[in-house]
Amino acid sequence: MANNLFDFGMVGLGVMGRNLLLNMADHGFKAIGFDKDETKGKLLESSATPGTTVKGVSTLAEMIRALQPPRKLMMLVPAGKPVDDVIRDLLPLLQKGDIIIDGGNSHYTDTLKRIDYLKDTGIHFMGVGVSGGEHGARTGPSIMPGGDAEAYKNVAPVLEAVAAKASGSACVAYMGKNAAGHYVKMVHNGIEYAIMQLISEVYDLLKNGLGLNNDELHKVFKTWNEGEQQSFLIEITRDIFLQKDDKTNNRLVDMILDKAGAKGTGKWTSQDAMDLGIPIGVIDTAVSLRSLSACKDERTQAAALYKTVVHPIEVPKEIFIQQAGDALFFATIICYAQGLSLLHKASSELQMEISLPEVVRIWRGGCIIRSVLLETFYKAYTLSPELPNLLLNAEVAQLLQKKLLHTRTVILHATQAGYPIAGLMSALSYFEGYRTGKLPTNLIQAQRDYFGAHTYQRIDMQGTFHTEWQAH
Ligand code: 6PG
């Protein structure tokens, strides 16, 4: 009888849920999925690889009855209330020892509440980040599980089987206690926002500053993707330039409105970094710039008011392309450094015990921010697992030093010609600020003490001081 029971259940058969479940079935697990919408269950079954065991049902009770205890099930439903609704519906159907995984992009504080809510029921709850989009879910995502360590042992064989593989190891690992899985995924998305912002800025410079057409842009990104900046985001950008629009004769990218959407994970990263006092300026900038992009009507009015023109960048093409590539590489490293420094701090502040070597190891494959750079970062954290900031690693320092001059040059040309490059500038300023032992913040302390008696410390003696400042 037990042989007829299913190994894994999925709640929510949208494209992510369906693809991940099919991926499990491809690895020999008997997979069952529930969705109220019967057509989704049917689509699940018809998309299954022949010879695999896959079933779609339209009631939760039917799915729960068909699962092998202790039941292992994941929900991939929109974050927020739908997750709580599913938990409420599942509770009367489950037994002690069963495992519920929330695989969506839930806010980590919601995950903490859910862990607390379920703690006396004997039902295990895990918040798990899944990255890789639709295609990744089907062929191998990067998976970031956190929370109940006992439960993780039970689901690890399934997750390890379906995860992407990088340098021979599965891109999944126990991220840490409490809501560590969702926290790591949130920061992953913050880094994702930042790198996407940087790529869009460099695209603007190459397209409008240098006048490259889409075929030329494709070639530039193709070349970059064959070298030290090989990454998923550079790779898809390369391909985007070739996509034809099916409604006009143009390339699709040129027909897309310049208003970026956002579901919130980038903003959450910034909000949390502010709370923890960790500077992640490029991520903050990326979040703000998406909001700026959304003010399309105001921007259009302002363009008319200011008679905005951007100027050509007067540097030989081949030279500027090389410089822009270096600037992008430099700033991309800063994005990872900022995100990982946030994880370092959050790990102890929120008692998650996150292993940074494991984080970068599992980001090497399957996820949206995968990149060959992660190999260098993996080495850095393996050498020094408690590294507070990647910028303190000698190999990373060397990479940044090599690209510094070109980063400055690109920013100089771009600002002179009138391009908005807040992400690149933020990355450079962070670097310059981080690597100096002397900032002008002494003046801020003087001002604070002047108007508010907020006190200051001195460079020459211990203690806290206040001065009755004289108005001159
Ligand atoms: C991933 C992506 C995924 C998703 C984001 C996009 O890792 O697979 O990050 O989680 O595409 O939700 O977020 P925005 O809609 O906020 O850009």
Side-chain angles (χ1 to χ4, degrees):
M1 176 63 191
N3 284 343
N4 295 328
L5 294 177
F6 286 81
D7 300 311
F8 204 94
M10 182 69 69
V11 179
L13 297 176
V15 65
M16 286 294 288
R18 180 176 74 242
N19 281 355
L20 198 55
L21 202 58
L22 292 172
N23 182 352
M24 289 175 188
D26 286 346
H27 286 88
F29 297 98
K30 291 183 203 155
I32 182 164
F34 154 78
D35 202 296
K36 293 199 284 287
D37 179 352
E38 263 182 55
T39 58
K40 293 198 174 149
K42 294 215 168 74
L43 180 61
L44 170 77
E45 289 180 4
S46 63
S47 322
T49 310
T52 60
T53 308
V54 177
K55 186 175 162 103
V57 294
S58 59
T59 70
L60 261 186
E62 194 182 343
M63 180 171 87
I64 300 305
R65 271 198 308 273
L67 279 166
Q68 170 79 50
R71 299 175 183 88
K72 300 180 255 308
L73 52 105
M74 180 183 281
M75 56 177 122
L76 270 169
V77 298
K81 187 169 175 300
V83 177
D84 291 314
D85 291 347
V86 172
I87 293 174
R88 188 201 52 222
D89 294 348
L90 279 171
L91 270 185
L93 302 170
L94 296 180
Q95 288 171 335
K96 278 195 163 88
D98 289 347
I99 301 164
I100 308 177
I101 294 172
D102 174 13
N105 278 336
S106 290
H107 194 285
Y108 80 92
T109 53
D110 286 342
T111 304
L112 288 174
K113 282 185 210 137
R114 289 166 190 146
I115 291 171
D116 192 50
Y117 173 67
L118 289 169
K119 76 174 184 304
D120 297 326
T121 62
I123 290 164
H124 303 282
F125 184 77
M126 302 187 71
V128 173
V130 179
S131 177
E134 299 171 14
H135 183 70
R138 185 75 174 87
T139 57
S142 174
I143 308 178
M144 297 153 242
D148 195 321
E150 273 311 299
Y152 179 64
K153 285 189 197 143
N154 257 306
V155 294
V158 183
L159 300 185
E160 282 168 10
V162 299
K165 309 291 177 292
S167 303
S169 72
C171 293
V172 55
Y174 180 69
M175 292 284 94
K177 297 196 300 194
N178 303 320
H182 279 146
Y183 201 95
V184 171
K185 177 64 188 353
M186 175 185 82
V187 174
H188 165 284
N189 282 25
I191 297 171
E192 171 187 304
Y193 273 50
I195 299 173
M196 289 165 75
Q197 172 62 29
L198 295 171
I199 294 176
S200 76
E201 291 176 8
V202 169
Y203 157 62
D204 192 17
L205 300 180
L206 298 182
K207 177 183 162 74
N208 299 309
L210 283 194
L212 300 194
N213 64 29
N214 286 312
D215 289 330
E216 290 168 320
L217 287 164
H218 165 79
K219 279 203 197 99
V220 170
F221 277 79
K222 181 171 182 294
T223 310
W224 287 349
N225 196 51
E226 283 157 5
E228 60 191 359
Q229 23 198 351
Q230 198 278 316
S231 70
F232 175 73
L233 285 169
I234 296 285
E235 180 188 319
I236 63 164
T237 310
R238 172 198 71 190
D239 296 345
I240 283 169
F241 293 121
L242 293 188
Q243 183 79 34
K244 295 210 169 76
D245 179 26
D246 60 9
K247 296 177 179 59
T248 65
N249 281 331
N250 301 327
R251 295 289 162 91
L252 181 57
V253 67
D254 294 324
M255 302 309 293
I256 295 180
L257 191 68
D258 55 340
K259 275 169 90 166
K263 293 197 200 70
T265 43
K267 178 183 78 179
W268 299 344
T269 312
S270 288
Q271 286 172 327
D272 222 63
M274 289 281 173
D275 287 342
L276 292 176
I278 296 296
I280 56 161
V282 192
I283 296 173
D284 301 341
T285 302
V287 174
S288 295
L289 270 281
R290 284 202 191 184
S291 304
L292 183 70
S293 82
C295 306
K296 174 80 174 172
D297 293 344
E298 286 175 48
R299 287 192 287 114
T300 308
Q301 281 178 45
L305 177 64
Y306 290 94
K307 300 184 179 42
T308 306
V309 276
V310 284
H311 301 284
I313 289 173
E314 308 284 7
V315 181
K317 275 188 189 176
E318 285 315 312
I319 293 178
F320 191 76
I321 290 169
Q322 160 85 42
Q323 292 170 339
D326 285 354
L328 179 58
F329 187 75
F330 176 98
T332 299
I333 294 177
I334 302 289
C335 300
Y336 288 105
Q338 292 185 345
L340 288 160
S341 72
L342 172 59
L343 278 184
H344 177 264
K345 174 79 168 193
S347 172
S348 55
E349 288 288 313
L350 304 172
Q351 288 90 41
M352 295 185 288
E353 296 174 17
I354 294 171
S355 155
L356 291 182
E358 286 295 81
V359 172
V360 291
R361 182 182 71 73
I362 68 159
W363 283 354
R364 292 179 309 170
C367 66
I368 304 296
I369 61 168
R370 63 183 183 260
S371 149
V372 288
L373 266 173
L374 266 308
E375 292 294 345
T376 308
F377 303 159
Y378 182 49
K379 261 197 275 165
Y381 282 112
T382 308
L383 196 70
S384 172
E386 287 304 322
L387 194 66
N389 194 311
L390 268 176
L391 266 55
L392 295 174
N393 172 265
E395 196 178 336
V396 173
Q398 251 184 17
L399 288 178
L400 289 169
Q401 302 273 38
K402 261 191 2 211
K403 310 291 181 187
L404 180 57
L405 184 62
H406 283 174
T407 306
R408 289 201 182 120
T409 309
V410 167
I411 288 174
L412 204 69
H413 288 300
T415 49
Q416 271 172 352
Y419 291 89
I421 49 154
L424 289 169
M425 292 203 290
S426 174
L428 178 62
S429 295
Y430 174 84
F431 174 79
E432 305 288 22
Y434 187 83
R435 64 151 185 172
T436 176
K438 183 108 185 67
L439 282 169
T441 327
N442 49 328
L443 185 59
I444 294 175
Q445 285 298 77
Q447 291 162 333
R448 290 178 69 244
D449 194 56
Y450 188 119
F451 62 66
H454 293 297
T455 73
Y456 55 88
Q457 291 170 291
R458 297 180 57 93
I459 57 172
D460 56 351
M461 56 184 83
Q462 291 290 320
T464 303
F465 299 87
H466 167 62
T467 295
E468 287 303 317
W469 299 82
Q470 302 296 313
H472 292 290

